[in-house]
Amino acid sequence: MLTQIEQQLCDTAMSVRLNAYAPYSNFKVGAAILDNFDNIHLGTNVENASYPQGTCAEAGAISMMIASGGTKIKIIAVSGAGEHLCTPCGGCRQRIREFADLKTNILICTDLEFRKRFTLEALMPESFGPNNLA
Ligand code: THU
């Protein structure tokens, strides 16, 4: 079901999730990106007492990728607990869109295991992206 690197990304997202700072929602999220240099970047949600200032796990992982010199998302894994799939929020789909192809795989995990594979296109049909401004 998963390649070795995909399983590694899922394991990484699930373990970094434990470090999330989510004292207000108590909903921890972890993300792991494989970039175009085959480096892995991590992120968690980081909440704030001023609620709107909180940031998502995917945003953190993208920030780490850019700061490290990566320019493309090859695969991204996201981990969140619960029966409902922890798919990226609307804002994060747009953030991923900036650095991924429509065929890029988004791997959704619970806190314990891989659950489901999506392409970016499936989560975000007819999306607006960099090409619109080219
Ligand atoms: N959250 C993420 O980190 N990523 C998502 O794609 C969905 C939501 C976080 C934001 C907030 O800290 C918590 O989950 C509950 O919404």
Side-chain angles (χ1 to χ4, degrees), residues 22 25 27 29 44-47 55-58 78 86-89 92:
S25 71
F27 189 78
V29 183
T44 71
N45 52 334
V46 182
E47 297 184 347
T55 51
C56 285
E58 299 90 326
V78 180
C86 185
T87 49
C89 74
C92 285

Side-chain angles (χ1 to χ4, degrees), residues 25-88:
S25 71
N26 288 313
F27 189 78
K28 294 185 170 201
V29 183
I33 289 172
L34 183 73
D35 77 9
N36 49 314
F37 299 110
D38 289 332
N39 292 318
I40 292 177
H41 307 285
L42 313 178
T44 71
N45 52 334
V46 182
E47 297 184 347
N48 192 282
S50 176
Y51 291 177
Q53 304 308 323
T55 51
C56 285
E58 299 90 326
I62 289 171
S63 183
M64 184 176 168
M65 178 187 83
I66 294 299
S68 305
T71 55
K72 289 293 263 182
I73 297 172
K74 275 168 74 171
I75 311 170
I76 179 169
V78 180
S79 164
E83 61 170 303
H84 299 288
L85 290 175
C86 185
T87 49

Side-chain angles (χ1 to χ4, degrees), residues 2-17 30-35 38-43 61 73-79 104-110 113-114 117:
L2 293 178
T3 65
Q4 196 179 350
I5 186 65
E6 286 172 343
Q7 186 63 59
Q8 188 184 339
L9 282 173
C10 287
D11 290 345
T12 303
M14 289 187 282
S15 64
V16 76
R17 174 187 162 277
I33 289 172
L34 183 73
D35 77 9
D38 289 332
N39 292 318
I40 292 177
H41 307 285
L42 313 178
I73 297 172
K74 275 168 74 171
I75 311 170
I76 179 169
V78 180
S79 164
T104 296
N105 277 212
I106 299 173
L107 309 174
I108 307 302
C109 310
T110 66
E113 63 186 2
F114 167 72
R117 176 193 303 271

